[in-house]
Amino acid sequence: MRRIAHIDRILILLILIAFALRLHRIALQSWWWDEGYSTYLARHGILTAIRMTAVDIHPPLYYILLSLWGTFTGYNEFTTRFLSTIFGILTLPLLYRIAREGVGRAVGLLAAGLATLAPAYVYYSQETRMYTLFALEYLFALFLLSRMISARRWSPGTLIAMGITEAAMMYTHYFSVVAIIFLNLAALLLLLRQPIEERRWNFRRWALTQALVILAYAPWLPPAYRQTGQHSDERATFPTLLEFLSLTWHFFNIGIREVLGKTGEPPPRPGFVMASAAYGIAFAGALLSVGLAIWRRQRRIPLRPAIWLAAFALPLLLVFGITRWKPIVHPRYILMLTPALLLTDATLITALWGERRLVSRALALALALAIGATFLQGLWIVYYDPAFFREDVRGVAAYLSAVTTSEDAIVVDSEEYTLQQYYTGPSPIQGIKMRGREAEGLAELQAITDGKQRVFLLHWFRSVTDDKRFIPFLLEAAGRLIDHREFAGYTLWVYELERPVAMPPLQPTQINFGDRLWLSGAFAEGEARAGEGVAVALRWRMPAPIPENLKAAVALLDPGRQRVSGMDWMLMNDLHRYTARWSPGEETTTYFVVPVPLGAPPGPYTLTVTLYREPDLKGLDILDEARNPGGRSLTLGAVKVHPPRTTADPYGTMAGVPHLTHPLSLGDGLQLLGFQLAPSLLAPGEPLRALLLLQADRPGLPDQPLTLEIARGEAILGRQMGDPGYGHYPLSRWIPGLPVLDRRVVWLSSQAAEGPAEVRLRWGKGLGISLGTVEIAGRPRRFDPPPYEIPVGQRFPGLAELVGISLDRTILQPGDTLNVRLIWRALNEDPVERPYVVSVQVLNEEGRLVGQDDRPPAHGVSPTTSWVQGEYIEDPHPVTFREPLVGEGRLIVVLYDPDTMQRVRAADGRDHLELPVRVKGMGR
């Protein structure tokens, strides 16, 4: 009795420590979305909880208990989370009781000690959710199962308690199904071990108990059945068994999914993951060692520890099976399995230590140390690592309460239950779900923004209800973004409305992207101010199923055809499914907001769109009526850019522009704030691209050109001169204090010698300032003709002669690549100003293009801008085929400007050279 009292005192001490750990900083963080939902249901009463959970992913029992609890305690972070703390604390004495009755007091104390320090238990004991209740229920079911092991005839009290526990689990969480399956399998195993009379007696009563459980759950079966086909992420991928086990194991040791990082990426806290992995390895080694020891001594496997291990492993494998059907399974849904794991841990450690062998004790110590290292790191992350704190709804609400008025609207792009419990301002708050209901969502947004001056759009980082970004598109089309703020877990955008929210009409189009998708309609704003956004909507039609997921890149090009901004987004239909899951004939609209950089000079800009496959970034050809490709970038229209209204940059367009520590003066009233040069290593004839960040200090600056040059001493190796903005924005029009981004391209002379060269910038006739140096590296040139098989002798006048070609084959089987080697001789007397692209094309007997390869000469090593008169260039082209060549095919060579797609004319006036060779295709 004295020893029992001593042990009980240790248990009480563990419980007190567990209380202290679970109360430490329990109310520091605000409720996050799930907790806010729990509190919302509880505040609105039991009937509301039952009604709303009938269409939710969790049953109502926890919310009913929370509602009853809140009636007496009220609702704040401490009181609502304290209910979970109570459930979590009750786990400790129950663990102790199960282990003490099944194996021994030492195992019970060790299991309770592990539960005291388990980071996942601490974390979910401080969360207003059902997970500690679920774990307690499953553990109590294992306690009852343990009682059944030692009884010949199962008592009515035990069976009644088991039935109530099973029903409670089923009304707590839908994943109780795996626990119920295990309990029935375990009961079946126990029945098979019993004499026939007891087996029959116990089976009848167990079957009656399970029938009563089903009867008790019958009212909830319709809602439960509905949930089997809902709340699944259409884009989720199916994990492998190793991925599933790894993720689940690490999660059980911390309770925070984000600590583990994304699949395939390094974890943000590698130290914890390494400790958790060491724990897993030590656990597997201890389990193997104890199992081998039992086998060597020909002992029977202890039934209770075996059931504890099975209570952890079997439901885990069942859940993996569920992921084959519905891959979006969060590990917290099966946190109830961890008490069985802790019982197994405690059993292994005490069993190995009790063997009194050095190796066994070393393994026991290794397992204990691995658990300790894992749990201690996990506790530090739970308590003190702000990167993994819950979302800061309290901070968002405080900010909104301080800045919003009754003339504003607050919109959350998901269902909203949490913010309204903190917000004390006068603005209405509306959560809007767009997924699968864009028309209804638009009507809701119109109603809430009617008559409002500003809209505060709040995006929760876990929300997937507006992944198409329909709401930002609508608000940008109706006004402009004026502010952008980041909070933990939330992004806040503030829009100023200039007109009522409405869906703009799309202009009909019929553009074929690689026979995959047709662009059937488009809308793009024709004017914008720097620092604001351009709203774009594109309607797509899929004629037939495709196997790949496509992404669209909408780009804003400046007058020099350089990309200054853009938005890349996966194409999704109204249900947010990617293109591989679209239905044939389906038509859907996608939405984009392309920011205009704050420093973008006023002038004419161009919007383009490209479709590509994300894995290999390969773009789709735009096909004409004859299905011949005409490039991969479609011009959507022109955008006239105006100067910015303010220096505000809500889209953060200037974040990546390098700034000088101290601005440099280019003359009276003009400063260079920053610049960027690329590349730092140039070959003769290659371009140096410069990005200049400039600012006028006073109005009315003289219209003197800016000159950017590459020089070596007095020798000028390349120069670009003109007004900023490609001549569209002379300095006399600049607004003082507003930044201007000026992009320039300087072509290095094809005659430039190797070595360093200085880059200088000058305004008017003033003294130039040095922007640093670039290194010029020459390339080998050849002035004697290389060998070739077939002479050609056709010219692009003033540019080049195609001297000859070589082919690796003239008979083509389906799937073959035709390797063509072109031999050019440069004819230019002056440097070539444009970096032309060479296109080798194969046309079938009908004149339709079936094979093609487009690339700069010599894979870009010898761009046309670097050609010197008389040199020879070897230009290989691996021609791939869009469709098999049937019959005879002819080859042509095209030279075109990649920016304008304009072809260079040959000597005979045609826009291509026809090669004196034919190939034959064996396709059918």
Side-chain angles (χ1 to χ4, degrees):
M1 290 297 296
R2 290 180 180 177
R3 179 169 177 78
I4 293 176
H6 174 65
I7 292 176
D8 288 344
R9 286 196 295 269
I10 295 177
L11 177 63
I12 291 171
L13 178 62
L14 290 174
I15 292 173
L16 292 176
I17 294 173
F19 252 121
L21 290 174
R22 283 147 181 79
L23 295 181
H24 180 57
R25 311 189 99 190
I26 188 172
L28 175 69
Q29 302 168 41
S30 59
W31 290 316
W32 68 290
W33 196 98
D34 280 15
E35 292 184 289
Y37 179 71
S38 300
T39 309
Y40 176 89
L41 294 187
R43 284 180 187 271
H44 287 77
I46 294 174
L47 293 180
T48 298
I50 294 174
R51 177 177 56 83
M52 292 189 65
T53 52
V55 293
D56 187 48
I57 59 174
H58 299 307
L61 179 59
Y62 171 76
Y63 306 108
I64 294 172
L65 296 177
L66 183 62
S67 183
L68 295 172
W69 173 263
T71 302
F72 299 99
T73 64
Y75 297 96
N76 57 50
E77 292 92 341
F78 178 83
T79 58
T80 60
R81 289 170 177 167
F82 191 72
L83 180 62
S84 298
T85 301
I86 292 174
F87 295 140
I89 289 296
L90 290 175
T91 302
L92 272 69
L94 191 55
L95 274 170
Y96 169 72
R97 182 71 176 273
I98 293 173
R100 192 189 72 179
E101 292 185 359
V103 179
R105 297 184 181 93
V107 176
L109 283 176
L110 184 54
L114 294 176
T116 298
L117 298 175
Y121 285 13
V122 173
Y123 187 80
Y124 286 100
S125 292
Q126 296 184 342
E127 182 162 290
T128 312
R129 296 296 283 168
M130 71 288 296
Y131 301 111
T132 55
L133 170 62
F134 193 18
L136 180 65
E137 291 167 341
Y138 186 48
L139 183 60
F140 188 68
L142 295 181
F143 169 70
L144 296 173
L145 189 65
S146 180
R147 287 291 178 91
M148 292 162 58
I149 293 174
S150 56
R152 293 186 60 187
R153 292 197 172 187
W154 300 339
S155 70
T158 299
L159 293 175
I160 291 172
M162 179 67 82
I164 294 173
T165 303
E166 287 183 287
M169 280 195 291
M170 295 175 72
Y171 276 106
T172 300
H173 204 286
Y174 288 119
F175 270 82
S176 59
V177 64
V178 298
I180 302 297
I181 291 174
F182 166 75
L183 292 172
N184 278 272
L185 290 175
L188 179 62
L189 174 66
L190 296 181
L191 288 169
L192 293 175
R193 291 165 52 89
Q194 293 181 331
I196 188 68
E197 291 185 8
E198 281 76 9
R199 182 188 308 166
R200 290 174 178 174
W201 196 93
N202 289 332
F203 176 76
R204 288 194 295 268
R205 283 152 182 78
W206 178 262
L208 177 62
T209 301
Q210 300 308 299
L212 293 174
V213 170
I214 294 173
L215 183 64
Y217 196 66
W220 203 254
L221 283 175
Y225 177 75
R226 285 196 299 269
Q227 300 315 308
T228 60
Q230 298 180 14
H231 303 284
S232 180
D233 189 343
E234 300 284 353
R235 298 156 295 172
T237 58
F238 296 95
T240 64
L241 178 60
L242 182 60
E243 290 172 342
F244 172 77
L245 293 178
S246 175
L247 170 64
T248 306
W249 178 265
H250 293 314
F251 178 85
F252 283 168
N253 294 326
I254 181 64
I256 306 174
R257 172 66 180 84
E258 288 73 23
V259 175
L260 311 179
K262 297 180 179 179
T263 302
E265 297 182 5
R269 297 295 179 268
F272 167 80
V273 175
M274 290 176 61
S276 179
Y279 169 20
I281 294 171
F283 175 82
L287 188 63
L288 180 62
S289 176
V290 171
L292 288 175
I294 293 173
W295 178 75
R296 283 197 305 265
R297 297 168 187 172
Q298 297 183 344
R299 294 180 180 176
R300 296 179 61 183
I301 299 175
L303 185 57
R304 284 181 176 82
I307 284 183
W308 299 339
L309 178 61
F312 170 74
L314 181 60
L316 190 63
L317 294 176
L318 291 174
V319 171
F320 174 71
I322 293 175
T323 65
R324 303 295 86 197
W325 161 58
K326 182 177 285 194
I328 181 170
V329 175
H330 198 288
R332 65 173 177 261
Y333 296 167
I334 51 175
L335 190 70
M336 83 291 186
L337 302 181
T338 51
L341 174 63
L342 296 183
L343 285 169
T344 305
D345 281 331
T347 302
L348 291 175
I349 291 173
T350 52
L352 288 170
W353 192 262
E355 289 188 12
R356 301 181 182 277
R357 293 189 304 122
L358 181 61
V359 174
S360 298
R361 289 198 166 185
L363 189 54
L365 186 61
L367 178 57
L369 290 176
I371 295 174
T374 303
F375 284 9
L376 290 178
Q377 287 190 69
L379 286 174
W380 186 91
I381 293 172
V382 167
Y383 288 136
Y384 303 114
D385 195 334
F388 305 105
F389 284 0
R390 295 175 177 89
E391 294 88 273
D392 186 18
V393 185
R394 188 189 296 147
V396 173
Y399 174 77
L400 291 174
S401 299
V403 301
T404 54
T405 70
S406 58
E407 299 299 318
D408 303 322
I410 302 173
V411 176
V412 185
D413 64 352
S414 64
E415 292 178 309
E416 205 301 297
Y417 301 100
T418 311
L419 180 64
Q420 57 186 277
Q421 300 186 63
Y422 287 104
Y423 178 69
T424 59
S427 302
I429 301 175
Q430 178 71 51
I432 299 179
K433 292 176 66 175
M434 286 295 185
R435 181 177 180 177
R437 54 187 305 275
E438 289 183 3
E440 297 88 340
L442 171 59
E444 292 170 3
L445 184 63
Q446 290 172 323
I448 194 174
T449 59
D450 185 32
K452 301 299 181 181
Q453 296 180 351
R454 296 184 301 176
V455 178
F456 290 75
L457 175 59
L458 190 64
H459 170 67
W460 178 41
F461 82 109
R462 297 178 190 269
S463 174
V464 295
T465 62
D466 189 30
D467 277 359
K468 291 175 67 176
R469 295 295 187 259
F470 189 29
I471 299 177
F473 164 81
L474 291 169
L475 295 177
E476 184 64 51
R480 64 190 182 98
L481 183 69
I482 59 174
D483 195 12
H484 167 212
R485 294 176 182 268
E486 294 290 338
F487 297 85
Y490 285 93
T491 298
L492 178 66
W493 295 289
V494 185
Y495 291 87
E496 184 176 80
L497 297 183
E498 299 171 343
R499 62 191 71 88
V501 172
M503 179 63 197
L506 276 63
Q507 296 298 317
T509 62
Q510 286 296 324
I511 308 298
N512 182 357
F513 280 84
D515 287 334
R516 267 33 172 219
L517 291 179
W518 285 74
L519 181 66
S520 61
F523 162 81
E525 291 183 303
E527 295 190 33
R529 289 187 175 272
E532 300 175 14
V534 179
V536 178
L538 304 174
R539 185 172 61 235
W540 306 95
R541 179 172 56 85
M542 176 182 284
I546 61 175
E548 62 264 285
N549 295 320
L550 300 179
K551 201 169 189 178
V554 178
L556 182 68
L557 309 182
D558 65 15
R561 303 292 296 182
Q562 294 195 61
R563 186 181 188 273
V564 298
S565 181
M567 177 179 174
D568 288 30
W569 211 250
M570 294 297 297
L571 296 185
M572 293 178 247
N573 65 6
D574 292 349
L575 294 176
H576 293 185
R577 294 173 178 169
Y578 294 154
T579 52
R581 299 198 61 187
W582 290 11
S583 302
E586 182 173 354
E587 198 167 50
T588 190
T589 304
T590 55
Y591 309 99
F592 304 83
V593 175
V594 180
V596 181
L598 176 64
Y605 288 69
T606 305
L607 275 173
T608 65
V609 62
T610 304
L611 288 191
Y612 64 94
R613 297 191 293 262
E614 189 176 31
D616 57 10
L617 304 180
K618 186 175 182 179
L620 300 185
D621 292 323
I622 300 171
L623 307 180
D624 60 19
E625 294 182 358
R627 297 180 60 248
N628 291 320
R632 293 175 178 172
S633 180
L634 174 69
T635 297
L636 295 173
V639 178
K640 185 178 181 180
V641 173
H642 301 280
R645 309 181 204 225
T646 68
T647 57
D649 187 21
Y651 283 108
T653 58
M654 305 293 284
V657 179
H659 283 67
L660 295 170
T661 306
H662 302 288
L664 298 176
S665 175
L666 290 169
D668 183 19
L670 183 62
Q671 289 189 327
L672 177 67
L673 304 182
F675 67 91
Q676 187 176 53
L677 303 175
S680 58
L681 180 64
L682 287 172
E686 289 187 341
L688 173 69
R689 302 186 184 276
L691 177 64
L692 308 176
L693 178 59
L694 303 161
Q695 180 179 288
D697 293 335
R698 60 180 178 83
L701 295 181
D703 286 332
Q704 298 177 358
L706 284 171
T707 302
L708 185 68
E709 56 191 22
I710 305 172
R712 184 177 288 144
E714 297 298 323
I716 304 301
L717 307 180
R719 173 182 288 165
Q720 197 278 337
M721 177 187 297
D723 289 329
Y726 303 93
H728 294 281
Y729 197 33
L731 275 76
S732 60
R733 294 169 48 196
W734 286 26
I735 301 173
L738 294 181
V740 175
L741 285 172
D742 186 33
R743 286 177 167 82
R744 293 176 178 257
V745 179
V746 182
W747 291 93
L748 182 64
S749 168
S750 59
Q751 305 292 338
E754 295 184 4
E758 185 181 22
V759 182
R760 297 194 293 243
L761 177 64
R762 184 175 69 254
W763 179 33
K765 296 182 180 179
L767 295 176
I769 60 174
S770 176
L771 303 185
T773 60
V774 293
E775 188 69 25
I776 300 174
R779 64 172 177 82
R781 299 181 186 272
R782 182 168 188 168
F783 291 93
D784 59 308
Y788 53 85
E789 296 174 355
I790 304 168
V792 178
Q794 300 183 45
R795 297 188 174 196
F796 290 107
L799 181 59
E801 176 188 5
L802 183 58
V803 178
I805 63 170
S806 296
L807 280 68
D808 70 337
R809 68 191 69 195
T810 56
I811 303 297
L812 294 166
Q813 300 292 337
D816 281 349
T817 296
L818 175 63
N819 291 293
V820 181
R821 188 169 63 96
L822 308 179
I823 307 299
W824 298 99
R825 182 168 68 90
L827 302 177
N828 55 299
E829 296 180 1
D830 300 316
V832 179
E833 296 181 354
R834 301 302 302 155
Y836 293 110
V837 171
V838 178
S839 176
V840 178
Q841 303 177 4
V842 178
L843 309 181
N844 65 10
E845 293 174 343
E846 299 172 356
R848 189 174 70 252
L849 189 148
V850 295
Q852 182 178 11
D853 181 73
D854 292 30
R855 65 187 67 214
H859 295 269
V861 175
S862 302
T864 56
T865 52
S866 70
W867 288 5
V868 174
Q869 186 180 27
E871 76 165 310
Y872 288 87
I873 298 96
E874 294 187 68
D875 184 19
H877 289 266
V879 177
T880 56
F881 289 81
R882 311 172 48 237
E883 60 182 87
L885 175 64
V886 180
E888 190 174 83
R890 55 194 181 92
L891 277 71
I892 65 171
V893 174
V894 174
L895 209 60
Y896 66 90
D897 187 325
D899 290 335
T900 65
M901 303 303 294
Q902 184 174 353
R903 295 186 176 189
V904 178
R905 293 288 173 179
D908 59 6
R910 294 188 295 178
D911 61 2
H912 63 272
L913 305 178
E914 184 154 350
L915 303 184
V917 65
R918 294 290 185 268
V919 293
K920 186 176 181 180
M922 306 306 290
R924 294 182 180 179

